[in-house]
Amino acid sequence: MKKVSKPEMIREKLACSALERAKLALMNPELIRKKVEERTIDELAKPLIAASLRDGVETVWDRYEQQQPECKYCAAGTSCARCAMGPCRIISGTRARGVCGADADLVVSRNLLDTIATGAAAHSDHGRDIVETLYMTGTGEAEGYTVTDEEKLKRIAAEYGIATEGREIRDIARELGRALLEEFGTLKNFLQFSMRAPASTRAIWEEMGIMPRSVDREIVESMHMVQMGVGSDYVNILLQGMRTALSDGWGGSMMATEISDILFGTPKVNESRVNLGVIKADHVNIALHGHNPMLSEMIVKAAREPDMLQLAGDVGAKGINLVGLCCTGNEILMRKGIPNAGNHFNQELAIQTGALEAMIVDYQCIFPSLPRTAACYHTLIVSTSSKAKMPGSLYFDFSMENALSTARAIVKMAVENFPNRLKDRVQIPGKPVRIVSGFSNETIKAALGGSFKPLVDLIAAGKIRGAAGIVGCNNPKVKHDYGHVTLAKELIKRNILCVETGCAAIACGKAGLLVPEAADLAGDGLGEVCRSLGIPPVLHMGSCVDCSRILVLLAELANTLGVSIDRLPVAGAAPEWYSQKAVSIGSYFVASGVFTVLGVMPKISGSPSVISLLTAGLNDAVGAAFAVEPDPLKAADLITEHIEEKRKALGI
Ligand code: BF8
């Protein structure tokens, strides 16, 4: 364990963003009110955004405004900075080609392939970290980890042809970990988990040449294909995008989900609380932000140890309050019921409550600006991944071998920071709301009596018209949470069951849709089903890698009906997406046969050919395509229309 800097050193190096921005602080209350209303529908975020505007503490919305107007070539996907002959912008007329001769179709498709591969790499590298942890739990080298779900370990080992009868759990964990690590570069030219897809869906992949061969191979091949001079056929480039995305959904992400369940427990229905009101004035507050539960699970363990609780008492706190943010927040909410402080755009605001002793991060979706925000308060930003170092943070070299002892050191430091809290800056904006989560496929299946057949029957009978997966992020181009919440409310009203992950799930949780009582907001059929099962009409299925749970659910439904996934009355939506990971998710939804509506236009408008392929042509290839619709009410219409068409085609 290596600590590279001390809090005092950080403070000397960093200026509080408010000091630099004091001249930008807004004093006009009417202007502040207007801006706040434009930025979010999250009621507890509003007073903190107002305070940030008054005090000049910078947020994502301010930076977005400062970046306007955006470059129209970058927005259209027609700028290219890949090689040293450029940069180039593709402009109609004399500049219709870059220096190398690439036209708009090639530049746009190459940029999109790069985006998909980046997202697939992020999910899959997270998956590899988890799989390595399983392997090292098996060899006994990982500190603090155990196999929690032995039944799932054996079930997945059986999928890999690994004998389990009469063997030690650790031996099975080691062998399964090894087999999964090999999936990243497997020579067998398919991923074992892709065999979960219906044979008819796999036949489509084979026919289109997009069956993923291994995780690393698809990502590396994509990186090869975006090098200048490696082909110029935009269709071929986009099909590689689909294959790479499939290696994420049915590979890297699915491994992350399944092995996290084995190590930390398969989620079961639980009740907790959500929004910025989960932060407690009289407790040591520690926020866990990022993605990989390897770290957060160890922090949870350490924070519950008696000597840590004793230390908290000694510094004058009533206890240690852990709160989650973003997908790490979803991981520990699903499995441990740890309260969630919010989604992507709540991360800076959580610091602005002035009551966070530490924010512990690993990787992905962490604003590089957090140390600047934290410098205005007493909050320590603790980074923990060698892949994601952040100037201005305290870095702890977290690894499997030192996991629990590092977690203890971090928690201890956070507790000792409690007396440094600047009491006049504490502003906890209100009370949290209830949230019910933990809907893994295993839990849903058990609730349905051991099979998905009752769900298929409810869909066939028309009580539930179909299902929609609402996933993804926040983006300042959309009013915070408005896209997610409006779409989900509209769909449940139309008897369409919503399953959600990532920041979408947190948005709807904050809006009160993830409790059984929300059945009253659903249409008659869905409402009746939810009341009889005691479930919400919007089901929280986990973090973004847990979109792979949605794939497994789709495979189960399709296999029950004996059809390919593209024939199901289902759809996907990413109303507020921002991340490359979300592009990979959207692409593997579509490549798996799921019509998917995006609320934010991807950077493809510079190529009518690429738009046409993605929004129409893919229907002939994989039985599904994308649509782009910023208005969530119109998106609900598109989804409803699609679901009704699929029902008709199935004769239900
Ligand atoms: O992986 S939904 S903002 S936190 S990218 Fe990020 Fe988007 Fe949130 Fe989770 Ni997913």
Side-chain angles (χ1 to χ4, degrees):
M1 176 178 41
K2 188 173 59 171
K3 228 199 274 187
V4 294
S5 48
K6 291 190 183 332
E8 311 83 66
M9 291 164 61
I10 292 174
R11 273 177 215 297
E12 275 169 28
K13 277 191 285 177
L14 272 185
C16 160
S17 63
L19 296 179
E20 283 173 27
R21 288 176 39 85
K23 57 183 180 303
L24 296 175
L26 293 177
M27 290 306 162
N28 179 336
E30 186 46 34
L31 188 55
I32 290 177
R33 197 197 61 74
K34 191 164 165 273
K35 271 188 185 280
V36 168
E37 290 304 322
E38 281 166 7
R39 289 179 175 187
T40 190
I41 64 163
D42 175 344
E43 290 302 329
L44 268 65
K46 288 179 181 178
L48 291 166
I49 296 173
S52 77
L53 289 165
R54 267 194 309 274
D55 301 343
V57 177
E58 180 188 281
T59 61
V60 62
W61 293 280
D62 301 316
R63 293 188 294 273
Y64 176 67
E65 283 177 9
Q66 289 152 18
Q67 284 293 328
Q68 301 309 306
E70 59 189 15
C71 164
K72 64 179 181 178
Y73 301 101
C74 292
T78 50
S79 59
C80 181
R82 295 189 182 282
C83 82
M85 294 192 289
C88 299
R89 287 157 300 160
I90 309 302
I91 301 170
S92 58
T94 51
R95 284 207 237 157
R97 291 179 185 275
V99 177
C100 71
D103 62 10
D105 296 342
L106 177 55
V107 170
V108 168
S109 60
R110 231 165 31 186
N111 286 343
L112 185 60
L113 177 57
D114 191 338
T115 301
I116 295 171
T118 302
H123 281 151
S124 300
D125 200 41
H126 163 172
R128 188 186 335 239
D129 284 341
I130 291 283
V131 170
E132 252 186 329
T133 308
L134 177 72
Y135 176 72
M136 289 177 68
T137 300
T139 60
E141 292 163 272
E143 184 200 41
Y145 299 97
T146 50
V147 168
T148 302
D149 190 338
E150 296 184 1
E151 187 277 324
K152 188 155 186 172
L153 173 75
K154 290 180 186 166
R155 181 154 44 89
I156 292 179
E159 273 186 71
Y160 275 81
I162 294 167
T164 57
E165 197 66 29
R167 292 184 68 190
E168 290 282 326
I169 287 298
R170 267 178 50 172
D171 286 348
I172 305 170
R174 193 184 63 243
E175 197 175 336
L176 178 61
R178 168 97 204 192
L180 289 161
L181 283 173
E182 284 174 357
E183 290 287 70
F184 287 87
T186 182
L187 301 179
K188 66 182 186 297
N189 279 334
F190 69 90
L191 295 163
Q192 189 59 43
F193 281 151
S194 69
M195 295 299 116
R196 294 171 165 189
S200 44
T201 296
R202 281 184 274 131
I204 294 170
W205 297 341
E206 290 288 1
E207 197 189 330
M208 294 313 303
I210 58 170
M211 174 64 98
R213 295 159 295 180
S214 82
V215 176
D216 289 350
R217 181 167 187 176
E218 301 313 347
I219 294 165
V220 169
E221 192 159 307
S222 294
M223 289 295 98
H224 183 184
M225 288 172 72
V226 300
Q227 150 75 35
M228 198 294 282
V230 183
S232 51
D233 178 348
Y234 74 91
V235 177
N236 194 43
I237 288 171
L238 293 177
L239 286 175
Q240 174 59 17
M242 295 293 126
R243 178 155 62 176
T244 305
L246 287 171
S247 81
D248 170 1
W250 297 88
S253 280
M254 205 168 277
M255 288 191 250
T257 295
E258 299 291 48
I259 306 313
S260 294
D261 283 357
I262 290 173
L263 286 169
F264 310 121
T266 302
K268 295 191 175 66
V269 177
N270 72 71
E271 186 174 315
S272 185
R273 286 160 297 122
V274 64
N275 75 25
L276 289 161
V278 298
I279 295 168
K280 295 180 179 171
D282 51 8
H283 279 60
V284 170
N285 293 296
I286 302 176
L288 296 156
H289 176 21
H291 283 79
N292 193 323
M294 274 170 69
L295 166 69
S296 47
E297 288 279 341
M298 290 301 117
I299 298 283
V300 173
K301 251 190 197 183
R304 288 176 175 170
E305 288 179 348
D307 49 342
M308 284 304 165
L309 295 170
Q310 175 65 47
L311 186 63
D314 293 348
V315 297
K318 280 204 173 144
I320 301 174
N321 183 37
L322 298 180
V323 301
L325 278 162
C326 290
C327 282
T328 278
N330 284 325
E331 298 276 354
I332 50 179
L333 174 75
M334 289 279 284
R335 296 196 181 87
K336 298 275 184 299
I338 301 285
N340 191 297
N343 50 9
H344 193 41
F345 282 5
N346 290 114
Q347 59 182 291
E348 290 169 306
L349 305 180
I351 296 172
Q352 287 173 33
T353 62
L356 268 193
E357 273 53 57
M359 181 180 283
I360 306 169
V361 304
D362 51 21
Y363 41 54
Q364 300 170 19
C365 302
I366 294 148
F367 286 145
S369 58
L370 290 184
R372 291 184 71 230
T373 313
C376 306
Y377 305 87
H378 76 303
T379 308
L380 301 172
I381 303 292
V382 180
S383 57
T384 56
S385 167
S386 59
K387 299 169 198 179
K389 294 188 178 178
M390 282 175 97
S393 69
L394 284 156
Y395 175 64
F396 284 73
D397 197 8
F398 180 87
S399 70
M400 291 151 247
E401 296 94 326
N402 66 18
L404 192 54
S405 34
T406 306
R408 285 184 183 126
I410 296 172
V411 173
K412 182 166 180 284
M413 189 181 68
V415 172
E416 288 169 349
N417 194 31
F418 182 77
N420 297 328
R421 198 183 278 183
L422 307 167
K423 294 205 171 48
D424 58 330
R425 296 217 190 152
V426 173
Q427 43 179 348
I428 297 170
K431 297 258 176 284
V433 300
R434 286 166 53 236
I435 182 170
V436 173
S437 78
F439 290 94
S440 58
N441 285 310
E442 288 83 347
T443 293
I444 298 173
K445 202 171 182 174
L448 291 168
S451 115
F452 285 98
K453 175 89 178 22
L455 181 56
V456 170
D457 292 344
L458 287 166
I459 293 172
K463 284 207 182 278
I464 299 176
R465 304 302 296 172
I470 307 180
V471 305
C473 326
N474 298 134
N475 186 321
K477 294 174 180 173
V478 182
K479 191 191 279 196
H480 175 216
D481 291 351
Y482 173 77
H484 299 305
V485 173
T486 311
L487 180 61
K489 278 187 175 168
E490 197 56 34
L491 291 177
I492 60 173
K493 220 192 279 175
R494 301 177 190 197
N495 294 307
I496 294 169
L497 174 72
C498 293
V499 294
E500 297 196 336
T501 61
C503 290
I506 303 172
C508 289
K510 288 184 287 178
L513 299 180
L514 271 62
V515 287
E517 299 87 302
D520 294 344
L521 301 174
D524 289 349
L526 176 61
E528 186 192 320
V529 173
C530 291
R531 276 186 283 273
S532 74
L533 293 171
I535 58 168
V538 181
L539 301 181
H540 192 327
M541 293 193 79
S543 64
C544 281
V545 291
D546 293 340
C547 288
S548 65
R549 295 192 202 276
I550 299 177
L551 292 182
V552 173
L553 177 61
L554 293 169
E556 293 260 13
L557 296 178
N559 284 329
T560 306
L561 272 168
V563 298
S564 49
I565 292 173
D566 62 295
R567 296 191 56 204
L568 294 173
V570 299
E576 302 180 32
W577 74 274
Y578 93 88
S579 159
Q580 296 101 322
K581 294 178 290 170
V583 182
S584 179
I585 293 169
S587 301
Y588 70 64
F589 273 9
V590 168
S592 299
V594 181
F595 168 64
T596 298
V597 186
L598 306 176
V600 177
M601 181 68 179
K603 297 179 190 121
I604 59 170
S605 62
S607 167
S609 317
V610 170
I611 292 179
S612 161
L613 182 79
L614 295 178
T615 58
L618 281 175
N619 277 316
D620 296 331
V622 293
F626 286 99
V628 180
E629 178 47 70
D631 179 344
L633 295 174
K634 289 188 187 151
D637 288 342
L638 291 176
I639 288 171
T640 311
E641 215 173 282
H642 172 81
I643 283 177
E644 292 306 326
E645 266 173 30
K646 292 288 170 183
R647 292 185 63 90
K648 206 163 153 200
L650 282 172
I652 56 174

